Amino acid sequence: MGDFLKKLMTRISGLWTNWSMQQRVIISVISVIVIAVVIALFRVSSTPVMVSVFSQPIRDLDALDRIAFSLDLENISYTITANNVLQTGDEATARRIRGILTREGLVPSNINPWEVFDRERWTITDFERNVNFQRAQERMITEHIRAIDDVDNVELKIVWPERVLFAADQKPVSASVIITPKPGSDIVTNRKKVEGIQRLLQLAVEGLLPENIAIADNYGNLLNDFEGMAAFDRLSNIERESKMILNLETRYRGLVLGALQQTYGPNRVRDLNIKIEMDMSQKTIATTQQLPIVIRPQTPGLPYDDSIIVESIVEAETVSDTVFRGTGFNPEGPPSVEANVVPAFRDMDNLYGEMNQSTRVTNYALSEQVIQEESSPQIDRITVAVNIDGIWRKKYDERGNPVVLTDGSIEREYSPISEEDLRRTESLIRNAIGYNSARGDSVSVTNIPFDRTEEFRLEDAAYFRQKQIQNTIIIFVSGLTLLLFGFMLFRVISREMERRRRIAEAERARREQMLRESAIAEAENEGSELSISFEERNRMELMENAINMAKEHSEDAAQLIRTWLMEE
């Protein structure tokens, strides 16, 4: 065994020596990771198993602090993980914690309140079940109300009285709600939203009546006192009616103003004033009309009217005749009693007479029409006033330039709108708004010149500025043209002078060369030693070197000569 370990260590040391630095670093990092994983597995396996009190983490940190404080008072062992999950050692302790939190009303808001009923416990009583049910129901209703966009926070309390034997002695269920509106919400003054919360409570709680519901804001103002909110309702109705009138005026203004601006242009019709008076009252009117009876309608196609129309027809007629002959008899009452008869009838006693009576009763049938109508909001009167500007034209002289006055402004001429065009415009507006003279509608179209002093001043300033820019451009272009012409002339003259100077220098160099060559030739002929100056010797060496380089590099020399010729 010892030899095996020695061989293994020797082999490992040999491999370690043969590996490069990069391979050694990789092997070291892998070894450290493997050791760390093994240590973590041992720690996890040695950690005791924890039971979660709730299946979801507690997101509300304040609620988590209250829960921890309550559990510390009960001396219950618990742990809170990094993701805010409440855990304990066993399931029995978890059930005890859930019972305590439900009793104290500390179940977090993000935890389902009905989750406590998903766990069966053998020791729970009916009273605890009822209490848990009531608290869970309150929590669910609170979450429903808090889900409304206008509510920032809500506190709900529902009172379930004890059930008694007789219904007459049973006390009603009552509920009180305190809501905190969100900033900018109108739930405090909006009756429909408050009625929605009240309706939600009625549907959620069995036997809850509207008179037993109290909804208040965080300042203690009662919101569902709808009898006291009559003034708010009236203001709301007035606001809605005003908004309806404003929308109608805006629609009419847009239609009429758009038509006029398309005709005259937006600069000539800038605004239109329209006022609409409306009757917002709702009325129910019942009228009965007596219509004539058509016995025979007009025959179609006849050039004359052959219809028969009467006001009424006989529906039934009764005739009765009565004939009486005899003496008049006045009853005198019982015997031995004075008759109570007026003197006029007493004088007519025992008189003989005859009476004929004829009665005729005729029933006529009439045609009636009963109309039941409800009048909705309708327009009482429409008034429209619009002003249209005329046409302003600039005056020009014979050369086509605007006429400039002494004050430096351009002279303009105003052309008003004709009366015929004003009448046509008025007719257009009347047809657009549904003009009704019986309603007292009024349409006024005027032609008053607009104050365009500032507009004309800006136009004149822009015109003169444009003219100044044009003159500046013309002067600049003219100066630039002269400058270019002068530069070209100077260039031509300078090139000509340079050409003549080169010709003169070449002629002078040629003459000097001829003199040198003749002097050298004479010296050679005489055989005498010629004394040459230092400058002449350098020049001859340079010329000889240039001749040799031109012979050796003929292409480069030709390219150099071509470049000189192009520059010249």
Side-chain angles (χ1 to χ4, degrees):
M1 187 66 182
D3 296 338
F4 175 75
L5 291 177
K6 289 182 180 180
K7 292 180 180 179
L8 181 61
M9 295 300 296
T10 303
R11 187 171 182 179
I12 291 174
S13 61
L15 292 174
W16 183 266
T17 305
N18 295 330
W19 285 341
S20 63
M21 180 60 66
Q22 184 178 4
Q23 292 176 340
R24 293 177 183 178
V25 171
I26 294 173
I27 293 298
S28 302
V29 171
I30 294 175
S31 303
V32 171
I33 293 175
V34 170
I35 294 172
V37 170
V38 172
I39 294 173
L41 289 176
F42 276 108
R43 287 190 175 183
V44 170
S45 60
S46 61
T47 303
V49 179
M50 303 297 290
V51 178
S52 298
V53 178
F54 299 107
S55 60
Q56 301 176 4
I58 302 173
R59 301 187 183 93
D60 191 354
L61 299 180
D62 295 336
L64 186 61
D65 293 339
R66 291 192 296 268
I67 291 172
F69 180 74
S70 178
L71 296 181
D72 291 338
L73 292 178
E74 297 290 338
N75 294 324
I76 297 177
S77 177
Y78 65 93
T79 57
I80 299 176
T81 62
N83 54 351
N84 296 337
V85 176
L86 183 62
Q87 294 181 346
T88 187
D90 52 8
E91 183 62 30
T93 308
R95 286 197 299 268
R96 182 185 174 191
I97 292 175
R98 284 192 289 267
I100 293 173
L101 297 181
T102 304
R103 181 189 65 197
E104 300 294 335
L106 297 177
V107 179
S109 59
N110 63 309
I111 304 300
N112 185 7
W114 304 97
E115 189 178 13
V116 296
F117 297 100
D118 296 337
R119 300 175 174 84
E120 294 294 336
R121 288 175 285 175
W122 297 98
T123 59
I124 191 170
T125 62
D126 292 338
F127 175 76
E128 292 177 333
R129 289 182 181 274
N130 292 333
V131 170
N132 292 338
F133 172 77
Q134 293 172 3
R135 288 177 174 172
Q137 193 171 13
E138 288 182 0
R139 294 269 337 287
M140 286 298 294
I141 298 173
T142 302
E143 293 300 326
H144 279 298
I145 298 176
R146 188 179 286 116
I148 301 175
D149 293 336
D150 298 277
V151 178
D152 190 15
N153 192 15
V154 61
E155 296 180 7
L156 172 65
K157 181 61 180 177
I158 302 176
V159 178
W160 280 274
E162 296 182 359
R163 303 184 66 87
V164 296
L165 181 60
F166 298 101
D169 299 333
Q170 181 66 47
K171 294 183 180 180
V173 182
S174 60
S176 62
V177 183
I178 298 177
I179 61 175
T180 302
K182 287 185 178 180
S185 174
D186 62 340
I187 192 172
V188 177
T189 57
N190 195 322
R191 179 172 179 174
K192 290 186 177 180
K193 295 180 180 180
V194 178
E195 287 180 345
I197 296 177
Q198 180 173 306
R199 184 63 177 168
L200 178 65
L201 290 171
Q202 288 183 251
L203 295 176
V205 181
E206 181 181 2
L208 184 59
L209 300 177
E211 56 268 19
N212 297 327
I213 300 175
I215 303 176
D217 60 1
N218 53 338
Y219 296 105
N221 300 320
L222 193 62
L223 303 181
N224 63 335
D225 184 13
F226 301 125
E227 295 181 357
M229 294 179 63
F232 289 102
D233 295 340
R234 181 174 175 272
L235 293 177
S236 300
N237 293 332
I238 294 175
E239 183 179 358
R240 287 195 297 268
E241 292 171 0
S242 301
K243 187 177 295 184
M244 182 187 301
I245 295 175
L246 181 60
N247 293 336
L248 190 60
E249 290 176 351
T250 303
R251 185 167 63 88
Y252 275 106
R253 183 182 295 108
L255 292 174
V256 179
L257 190 60
L260 294 179
Q261 287 182 348
Q262 289 181 359
T263 305
Y264 294 101
N267 195 26
R268 295 177 59 189
V269 185
R270 298 180 180 179
D271 197 7
L272 180 141
N273 298 321
I274 184 170
K275 178 64 178 176
I276 298 177
E277 299 177 3
M278 296 187 66
D279 183 11
M280 293 295 179
S281 60
Q282 295 183 354
K283 302 176 182 177
T284 302
I285 303 174
T287 58
T288 302
Q289 296 181 355
Q290 300 292 339
L291 303 177
I293 299 175
V294 180
I295 298 178
R296 184 179 66 188
Q298 181 182 358
T299 303
L302 289 180
Y304 58 91
D305 188 6
D306 62 341
S307 61
I308 300 176
I309 300 175
V310 296
E311 295 181 355
S312 62
I313 59 175
V314 177
E315 183 179 16
E317 186 176 13
T318 303
V319 179
S320 61
D321 295 330
T322 303
V323 179
F324 174 77
R325 293 183 182 89
T327 60
F329 177 75
N330 293 326
E332 297 182 357
S336 67
V337 177
E338 184 178 359
N340 188 12
V341 181
V342 297
F345 285 98
R346 189 178 300 165
D347 294 341
M348 297 174 61
D349 190 13
N350 297 323
L351 295 179
Y352 178 80
E354 181 178 352
M355 182 185 66
N356 294 323
Q357 184 179 3
S358 178
T359 305
R360 188 183 188 91
V361 179
T362 304
N363 296 329
Y364 292 94
L366 302 177
S367 177
E368 294 183 350
Q369 183 180 11
V370 179
I371 301 175
Q372 295 281 348
E373 60 180 359
E374 293 184 359
S375 62
S376 57
Q378 56 185 357
I379 299 176
D380 284 346
R381 189 187 181 203
I382 301 178
T383 57
V384 180
V386 61
N387 181 40
I388 304 175
D389 193 10
I391 301 175
W392 293 87
R393 294 185 177 89
K394 297 179 181 179
K395 286 187 176 182
Y396 295 90
D397 55 12
E398 297 80 4
R399 293 178 296 179
N401 296 325
V403 178
V404 181
L405 299 176
T406 57
D407 58 352
S409 61
I410 299 176
E411 185 178 0
R412 291 173 174 83
E413 183 181 4
Y414 179 74
S415 300
I417 302 176
S418 63
E419 295 294 333
E420 181 65 23
D421 290 342
L422 291 178
R423 285 193 296 269
R424 291 178 180 175
T425 304
E426 184 176 349
S427 176
L428 173 66
I429 296 175
R430 288 183 177 183
N431 294 330
I433 65 174
Y435 178 83
N436 187 358
S437 58
R439 236 173 16 194
D441 295 350
S442 174
V443 177
S444 175
V445 181
T446 58
N447 176 213
I448 303 175
F450 292 162
D451 183 12
R452 298 179 181 268
T453 304
E454 184 66 20
E455 180 182 352
F456 290 161
R457 187 185 65 81
L458 295 177
E459 288 182 0
D460 296 346
Y463 171 76
F464 290 121
R465 184 167 56 254
Q466 185 179 4
K467 290 291 291 183
Q468 185 179 4
I469 293 173
Q470 291 178 357
N471 296 332
T472 304
I473 292 175
I474 292 173
I475 295 173
F476 176 76
V477 171
S478 301
L480 184 61
T481 303
L482 293 176
L483 182 63
L484 291 176
F485 180 75
F487 178 76
M488 293 174 62
L489 183 61
F490 172 77
R491 184 69 174 171
V492 171
I493 294 174
S494 62
R495 284 191 175 185
E496 181 64 22
M497 293 177 64
E498 183 68 20
R499 186 180 67 80
R500 292 182 180 183
R501 185 182 61 77
R502 286 198 301 271
I503 293 174
E505 289 181 355
E507 182 66 22
R508 185 171 56 255
R510 186 179 64 79
R511 290 175 183 176
E512 292 177 355
Q513 183 65 23
M514 290 177 62
L515 293 174
R516 293 190 194 95
E517 290 178 356
S518 61
I520 293 171
E522 292 178 357
E524 289 178 354
N525 293 330
E526 294 178 355
S528 60
E529 184 177 356
L530 181 64
S531 61
I532 303 175
S533 64
F534 179 76
E535 292 81 2
E536 188 67 23
R537 188 180 298 108
N538 290 337
R539 185 174 182 279
M540 292 178 65
E541 291 178 358
L542 290 174
M543 185 175 293
E544 186 177 358
N545 292 332
I547 293 171
N548 294 332
M549 289 182 64
K551 291 179 180 179
E552 294 176 0
H553 306 282
S554 58
E555 291 295 333
D556 295 339
Q559 182 66 28
L560 179 60
I561 295 172
R562 282 195 295 268
T563 303
W564 286 349
L565 293 176
M566 290 178 63
E567 290 181 354
E568 296 297 331

Coordinates of all heavy atoms in Angstrom, one line a residue, residues 77-120:
S77 N -40.6 29.6 18.6 CA -39.4 29.6 17.7 C -39.7 29.6 16.3 O -40.6 28.8 15.8 CB -38.5 28.3 18.0 OG -37.4 28.3 17.2
Y78 N -39.1 30.5 15.5 CA -39.4 30.7 14.1 C -38.1 31.2 13.4 O -37.2 31.7 14.1 CB -40.6 31.6 13.9 CG -40.3 33.0 14.3 CD1 -39.8 34.0 13.4 CD2 -40.5 33.4 15.7 CE1 -39.5 35.3 13.8 CE2 -40.2 34.7 16.1 CZ -39.7 35.6 15.1 OH -39.5 36.9 15.6
T79 N -38.1 31.1 12.1 CA -37.1 31.7 11.3 C -37.7 32.4 10.1 O -38.8 32.1 9.6 CB -36.1 30.7 10.8 OG1 -36.8 29.7 10.0 CG2 -35.4 30.0 11.9
I80 N -37.0 33.5 9.6 CA -37.5 34.2 8.4 C -36.3 34.1 7.4 O -35.2 34.5 7.7 CB -37.8 35.7 8.8 CG1 -38.9 35.8 9.8 CG2 -38.1 36.5 7.5 CD1 -39.2 37.2 10.3
T81 N -36.6 33.6 6.3 CA -35.6 33.3 5.2 C -35.3 34.7 4.5 O -35.9 35.7 4.8 CB -36.1 32.3 4.2 OG1 -37.3 32.8 3.6 CG2 -36.5 31.0 4.9
A82 N -34.4 34.6 3.6 CA -33.9 35.8 2.9 C -35.0 36.3 2.0 O -35.1 37.5 1.8 CB -32.7 35.5 2.1
N83 N -35.9 35.5 1.5 CA -37.0 36.0 0.7 C -38.3 36.2 1.5 O -39.4 36.1 0.9 CB -37.2 35.0 -0.5 CG -37.5 33.6 0.0 OD1 -37.3 33.3 1.2 ND2 -37.9 32.7 -0.9
N84 N -38.2 36.4 2.8 CA -39.3 36.8 3.7 C -40.4 35.6 3.8 O -41.6 35.9 3.8 CB -40.0 38.1 3.2 CG -39.1 39.2 3.3 OD1 -38.1 39.2 4.1 ND2 -39.4 40.3 2.5
V85 N -39.9 34.4 3.9 CA -40.8 33.3 4.1 C -40.7 32.9 5.6 O -39.6 32.7 6.1 CB -40.4 32.1 3.2 CG1 -41.3 30.9 3.5 CG2 -40.6 32.5 1.7
L86 N -41.9 32.8 6.3 CA -41.9 32.5 7.7 C -41.9 31.0 7.9 O -42.8 30.3 7.3 CB -43.2 33.1 8.3 CG -43.4 32.9 9.8 CD1 -42.2 33.6 10.6 CD2 -44.7 33.5 10.3
Q87 N -40.9 30.5 8.6 CA -40.8 29.0 8.8 C -40.7 28.7 10.3 O -40.2 29.5 11.1 CB -39.6 28.5 8.0 CG -39.7 28.6 6.5 CD -38.4 28.1 5.8 OE1 -37.4 27.8 6.4 NE2 -38.6 27.8 4.5
T88 N -41.0 27.4 10.6 CA -40.8 27.0 12.0 C -40.4 25.5 11.9 O -40.2 24.9 10.9 CB -42.2 27.1 12.7 OG1 -42.0 26.7 14.1 CG2 -43.2 26.2 12.1
G89 N -40.2 24.9 13.1 CA -39.6 23.6 13.2 C -40.5 22.5 12.8 O -40.0 21.5 12.1
D90 N -41.8 22.4 13.1 CA -42.6 21.3 12.8 C -44.0 21.8 12.4 O -44.3 23.0 12.5 CB -42.7 20.4 14.0 CG -43.1 21.1 15.3 OD1 -43.4 22.3 15.2 OD2 -43.0 20.5 16.3
E91 N -44.9 20.9 11.9 CA -46.2 21.3 11.5 C -47.1 21.7 12.6 O -47.9 22.6 12.4 CB -46.8 20.1 10.7 CG -48.2 20.4 10.1 CD -48.1 21.5 9.0 OE1 -47.1 21.6 8.4 OE2 -49.1 22.2 8.9
A92 N -46.9 21.2 13.8 CA -47.8 21.5 14.9 C -47.5 23.0 15.3 O -48.5 23.8 15.6 CB -47.5 20.6 16.1
T93 N -46.2 23.4 15.3 CA -45.9 24.8 15.7 C -46.5 25.7 14.5 O -46.9 26.8 14.8 CB -44.4 25.0 15.8 OG1 -43.9 24.0 16.8 CG2 -44.1 26.4 16.3
A94 N -46.4 25.3 13.3 CA -46.9 26.1 12.2 C -48.4 26.3 12.3 O -48.9 27.4 12.1 CB -46.6 25.4 10.8
R95 N -49.2 25.2 12.7 CA -50.6 25.4 12.9 C -50.9 26.3 14.1 O -51.8 27.2 14.0 CB -51.2 24.0 13.2 CG -51.3 23.1 12.0 CD -52.3 22.0 12.2 NE -51.9 21.1 13.4 CZ -51.1 20.0 13.2 NH1 -50.7 19.7 12.0 NH2 -50.8 19.3 14.3
R96 N -50.1 26.3 15.1 CA -50.3 27.2 16.3 C -50.0 28.6 15.8 O -50.8 29.5 16.2 CB -49.3 26.8 17.4 CG -49.5 27.7 18.6 CD -48.5 27.3 19.7 NE -48.5 28.2 20.8 CZ -47.6 28.3 21.8 NH1 -46.5 27.5 21.7 NH2 -47.8 29.2 22.8
I97 N -49.0 28.8 15.0 CA -48.7 30.2 14.6 C -49.8 30.7 13.7 O -50.3 31.9 13.8 CB -47.4 30.2 13.8 CG1 -46.2 30.0 14.8 CG2 -47.2 31.6 13.1 CD1 -44.9 29.8 14.1
R98 N -50.4 29.9 12.8 CA -51.5 30.3 12.0 C -52.7 30.7 12.8 O -53.4 31.7 12.5 CB -51.8 29.3 10.9 CG -50.8 29.2 9.8 CD -51.3 28.3 8.7 NE -51.3 26.9 9.0 CZ -50.3 26.1 8.8 NH1 -49.3 26.5 8.2 NH2 -50.4 24.8 9.1
G99 N -53.0 29.9 13.8 CA -54.1 30.2 14.7 C -53.9 31.5 15.4 O -54.9 32.3 15.5
I100 N -52.7 31.8 15.9 CA -52.5 33.1 16.6 C -52.6 34.3 15.7 O -53.2 35.3 16.0 CB -51.1 33.0 17.3 CG1 -51.0 31.9 18.4 CG2 -50.7 34.4 17.8 CD1 -49.6 31.7 19.0
L101 N -52.0 34.2 14.5 CA -52.1 35.3 13.5 C -53.5 35.5 13.1 O -53.9 36.7 12.9 CB -51.2 35.0 12.3 CG -49.7 34.9 12.6 CD1 -48.9 34.6 11.4 CD2 -49.2 36.1 13.3
T102 N -54.3 34.5 12.9 CA -55.7 34.6 12.5 C -56.5 35.3 13.7 O -57.3 36.2 13.4 CB -56.3 33.3 12.1 OG1 -55.6 32.7 11.1 CG2 -57.8 33.5 11.7
R103 N -56.2 34.9 14.9 CA -56.9 35.5 16.0 C -56.6 36.9 16.2 O -57.4 37.7 16.5 CB -56.5 34.7 17.3 CG -57.2 35.1 18.6 CD -56.6 34.5 19.8 NE -55.2 34.8 19.9 CZ -54.3 34.2 20.6 NH1 -54.6 33.1 21.3 NH2 -53.0 34.6 20.7
E104 N -55.3 37.3 16.0 CA -54.9 38.7 16.2 C -55.1 39.5 15.0 O -54.8 40.7 15.0 CB -53.4 38.7 16.6 CG -53.0 37.9 17.8 CD -53.6 38.6 19.1 OE1 -53.9 39.8 19.0 OE2 -53.8 37.9 20.1
G105 N -55.5 38.9 13.9 CA -55.8 39.7 12.6 C -54.5 40.1 12.0 O -54.4 41.2 11.4
L106 N -53.4 39.3 12.1 CA -52.1 39.7 11.6 C -51.8 38.9 10.3 O -50.6 38.8 9.9 CB -51.0 39.5 12.6 CG -51.1 40.3 13.9 CD1 -50.0 39.9 14.9 CD2 -51.0 41.8 13.5
V107 N -52.7 38.2 9.7 CA -52.5 37.5 8.4 C -52.1 38.5 7.4 O -52.8 39.5 7.2 CB -53.7 36.7 8.0 CG1 -53.4 36.0 6.7 CG2 -54.1 35.7 9.1
P108 N -50.9 38.4 6.7 CA -50.5 39.4 5.7 C -51.5 39.6 4.6 O -52.3 38.7 4.3 CB -49.2 38.8 5.2 CG -48.7 37.9 6.2 CD -49.9 37.3 6.9
S109 N -51.5 40.8 4.0 CA -52.5 41.1 3.0 C -52.3 40.3 1.7 O -53.3 40.0 1.0 CB -52.4 42.6 2.6 OG -51.1 43.0 2.2
N110 N -51.1 39.9 1.4 CA -50.9 39.1 0.2 C -51.1 37.6 0.3 O -51.0 36.9 -0.6 CB -49.4 39.3 -0.3 CG -48.4 38.8 0.6 OD1 -48.4 39.1 1.8 ND2 -47.5 38.0 0.2
I111 N -51.5 37.2 1.5 CA -51.8 35.8 1.8 C -53.3 35.6 1.7 O -54.1 36.4 2.1 CB -51.3 35.4 3.2 CG1 -49.8 35.7 3.4 CG2 -51.6 33.9 3.5 CD1 -49.0 34.9 2.4
N112 N -53.7 34.5 1.0 CA -55.1 34.2 0.8 C -55.7 34.0 2.2 O -55.3 33.1 2.9 CB -55.2 33.0 -0.1 CG -56.7 32.7 -0.4 OD1 -57.6 33.5 -0.1 ND2 -56.9 31.5 -1.0
P113 N -56.8 34.8 2.6 CA -57.4 34.6 3.9 C -58.1 33.3 4.0 O -58.3 32.8 5.2 CB -58.3 35.8 4.0 CG -58.6 36.2 2.6 CD -57.4 35.9 1.8
W114 N -58.5 32.7 2.9 CA -59.1 31.4 3.0 C -58.2 30.2 3.1 O -58.6 29.0 3.2 CB -60.0 31.2 1.8 CG -61.0 32.3 1.6 CD1 -60.9 33.3 0.8 CD2 -62.3 32.5 2.3 NE1 -62.0 34.2 0.9 CE2 -62.9 33.6 1.8 CE3 -63.0 31.7 3.2 CZ2 -64.1 34.1 2.2 CZ3 -64.2 32.2 3.7 CH2 -64.8 33.4 3.1
E115 N -56.9 30.5 3.2 CA -55.9 29.4 3.2 C -55.9 28.7 4.6 O -55.6 27.5 4.6 CB -54.5 30.0 3.0 CG -53.4 29.0 2.8 CD -52.1 29.7 2.6 OE1 -52.0 30.9 2.8 OE2 -51.1 29.0 2.2
V116 N -56.4 29.4 5.6 CA -56.5 28.7 6.9 C -57.5 27.6 6.9 O -57.4 26.7 7.8 CB -56.8 29.8 8.0 CG1 -55.7 30.8 8.1 CG2 -58.1 30.5 7.7
F117 N -58.5 27.6 6.0 CA -59.5 26.6 6.0 C -59.0 25.4 5.2 O -59.7 24.4 5.1 CB -60.8 27.1 5.4 CG -61.4 28.2 6.3 CD1 -61.2 29.5 5.9 CD2 -62.1 27.9 7.4 CE1 -61.8 30.5 6.7 CE2 -62.7 28.9 8.2 CZ -62.5 30.2 7.8
D118 N -57.9 25.5 4.5 CA -57.4 24.4 3.7 C -56.6 23.3 4.6 O -56.3 22.3 4.1 CB -56.4 24.9 2.6 CG -57.1 25.8 1.6 OD1 -58.3 25.6 1.5 OD2 -56.4 26.6 1.0
R119 N -56.4 23.7 5.9 CA -55.7 22.8 6.8 C -56.7 22.3 7.8 O -57.4 23.1 8.5 CB -54.6 23.5 7.4 CG -53.5 24.0 6.4 CD -52.5 24.8 7.1 NE -51.4 25.1 6.2 CZ -51.4 26.2 5.5 NH1 -52.5 27.0 5.5 NH2 -50.4 26.5 4.7
E120 N -56.9 21.0 7.9 CA -57.8 20.4 8.9 C -57.1 20.3 10.3 O -56.0 19.8 10.4 CB -58.2 19.0 8.4 CG -59.1 19.1 7.1 CD -60.4 19.8 7.3 OE1 -60.9 19.8 8.5 OE2 -61.0 20.3 6.4

